[in-house]
């Protein structure tokens, strides 16, 4: 059997297409069975080593894939952390609904002080008062007309400052003082009388029970002659808080007032409104002072 070039191909049982040599009964060459067994064992050993090596490579490849996947996952997590500014994961952040809402004790602003409360009774109406403080200055402008201020007066003898049936009305309701002031303009004069009581109810009662004969006595002086002593004059009666106030208006020359004498009616109305405003302002001033304390 030749192993040189051009000879018969060597049979390899692991190589496809190789041919097993034909052994003829007439051949004197006998196969070397021991050599063939050694060759087969060597090939089997190499095959096992290849399979072991291939398995190790596959294991390394899988490990590489896992490592890449882990690194990739870590990279994404880092990117996510950077994007969120290093904040913990959403599951770690308590939701707004889980946090208790802030609670505040119910509060309310105190109601504003009512100015009328301070002039409704002598207990709260404690600011100093006189004819001069209630009617300050030397003149006043009301209804577009400037009136000159005349004489003022104040007395605790209420009956001495009134006439007709008013003295009895004031006495019945325990009048404590009557203050008067006179204003004049172009021959028309008006005297305002303000009577004080301890309570609003007493002043209201005076207003309700006074009649046409319940008149404050006019106050002359300081350039104003006597008026409305015998002539017909126009009078009014009203009240606010613990104050009852009256007006009497007429001519300084002594003539009677008629319904056509609009200047007299206007003067009486202007002084009545001015008196109401002064009493109300007194309450507002005391309420403001109390609120600042």
């Amino acid at each position: 059997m030749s192993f040189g070039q051009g000879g018969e191909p060597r049979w390899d049982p692991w190589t496809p297409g190789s041919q097993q040599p034909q052994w003829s009964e007439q051949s004197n060459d006998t196969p070397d069975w021991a050599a063939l067994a050694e060759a087969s064992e060597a090939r089997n050993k190499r095959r096992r080593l290849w399979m072991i090596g291939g398995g190790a490579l596959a294991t390394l490849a899988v490990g590489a894939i896992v490592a890449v996947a882990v690194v990739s996952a870590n990279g994404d997590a880092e990117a996510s952390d950077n994007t969120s500014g290093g904040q913990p994961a959403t599951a770690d952040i308590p939701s707004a609904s889980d946090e208790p809402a802030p609670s505040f004790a119910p509060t309310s602003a105190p109601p504003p002080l009512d100015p009328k409360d301070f002039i409704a009774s002598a207990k709260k109406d404690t600011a100093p008062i006189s004819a001069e403080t209630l009617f300050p200055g030397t003149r006043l402008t009301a209804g577009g007309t400037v009136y000159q201020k005349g004489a003022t007066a104040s007395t605790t003898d209420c009956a001495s400052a009134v006439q007709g049936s008013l003295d009895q009305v004031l006495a019945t309701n325990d009048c404590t003082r009557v203050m008067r002031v006179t204003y004049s303009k172009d021959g028309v004069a008006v005297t305002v009388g303000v009577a004080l009581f301890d309570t609003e109810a007493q002043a209201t009662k005076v207003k309700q029970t006074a009649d046409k004969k319940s008149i404050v006595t006019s106050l002359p002086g300081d350039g104003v002659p006597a008026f409305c002593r015998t002539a017909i004059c126009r009078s009014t009666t009203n009240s606010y808080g613990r104050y009852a106030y009256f007006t009497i208006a007429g001519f300084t020359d002594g003539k009677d007032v008629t319904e056509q004498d609009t200047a007299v009616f206007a003067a009486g109305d202007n002084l009545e409104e001015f008196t109401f405003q002064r009493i109300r302002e007194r309450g507002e001033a005391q309420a403001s002072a109390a609120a600042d304390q």
Side-chain angles (χ1 to χ4, degrees), residues 137-170:
T138 59
R139 64 177 60 87
L140 70 86
T141 301
T145 302
V146 178
Y147 298 92
Q148 295 294 323
K149 183 180 176 181
T152 61
S154 178
T155 180
T156 57
D157 183 5
C158 298
S160 65
V162 298
Q163 56 184 313
S165 60
L166 187 54
D167 60 343
Q168 185 61 43
V169 174
L170 297 183

Side-chain angles (χ1 to χ4, degrees), residues 11-283:
W11 172 62
D12 186 349
W14 303 103
T15 304
S18 64
Q19 297 181 358
Q20 184 178 0
Q22 301 294 323
W23 306 102
S24 63
E25 295 180 355
Q26 292 81 15
S27 174
N28 292 327
D29 295 331
T30 302
D32 188 350
W33 298 108
L36 291 174
E38 291 177 0
S40 177
E41 179 65 21
R43 284 190 295 272
N44 289 338
K45 185 176 181 180
R46 287 194 303 272
R47 187 169 181 270
R48 286 195 300 271
L49 291 175
W50 182 87
M51 292 179 65
I52 294 172
L57 291 175
T59 301
L60 291 175
V62 172
I65 293 172
V66 173
V68 170
V70 171
V71 171
S72 177
N74 290 338
D76 292 342
E78 292 174 0
S80 176
D81 288 346
N82 292 335
T83 303
S84 62
Q87 296 295 325
T90 304
D92 297 331
I93 301 176
S95 63
S97 60
D98 295 335
E99 297 180 357
S103 60
F104 302 95
T107 59
S108 60
L113 299 176
D114 186 355
K116 191 175 181 182
D117 289 343
F118 289 85
I119 56 172
S121 69
K123 291 182 179 180
K124 297 191 70 173
D125 187 15
T126 57
I129 187 170
S130 67
E132 290 296 335
T133 59
L134 194 60
F135 301 101
T138 59
R139 64 177 60 87
L140 70 86
T141 301
T145 302
V146 178
Y147 298 92
Q148 295 294 323
K149 183 180 176 181
T152 61
S154 178
T155 180
T156 57
D157 183 5
C158 298
S160 65
V162 298
Q163 56 184 313
S165 60
L166 187 54
D167 60 343
Q168 185 61 43
V169 174
L170 297 183
T172 301
N173 292 281
D174 299 324
C175 172
T176 61
R177 184 189 301 186
V178 173
M179 297 175 293
R180 290 180 294 167
V181 63
T182 297
Y183 291 89
S184 63
K185 168 70 175 177
D186 296 337
V188 175
V190 180
T191 292
V192 179
V194 180
L196 276 65
F197 302 87
D198 288 338
T199 66
E200 180 179 9
Q202 292 170 323
T204 302
K205 188 68 174 178
V206 169
K207 174 184 176 181
Q208 293 171 345
T209 58
D211 56 24
K212 294 181 178 180
K213 296 180 180 180
S214 300
I215 302 169
V216 64
T217 302
S218 63
L219 179 65
D222 292 348
V224 180
F227 66 101
C228 295
R229 295 299 174 90
T230 58
I232 298 174
C233 292
R234 193 246 185 168
S235 64
T236 64
T237 300
N238 216 323
S239 70
Y240 185 70
R242 72 183 187 106
Y243 299 84
Y245 52 100
F246 316 88
T247 67
I248 184 166
F251 294 106
T252 57
D253 61 4
K255 70 178 182 179
D256 293 337
V257 175
T258 67
E259 293 182 356
Q260 287 72 36
D261 295 320
T262 56
V264 175
F265 282 80
D269 290 343
N270 288 338
L271 267 298
E272 183 183 38
E273 175 65 20
F274 176 72
T275 303
F276 165 75
Q277 295 292 345
R278 291 297 299 157
I279 296 172
R280 186 176 68 176
E281 290 171 4
R282 177 178 171 82

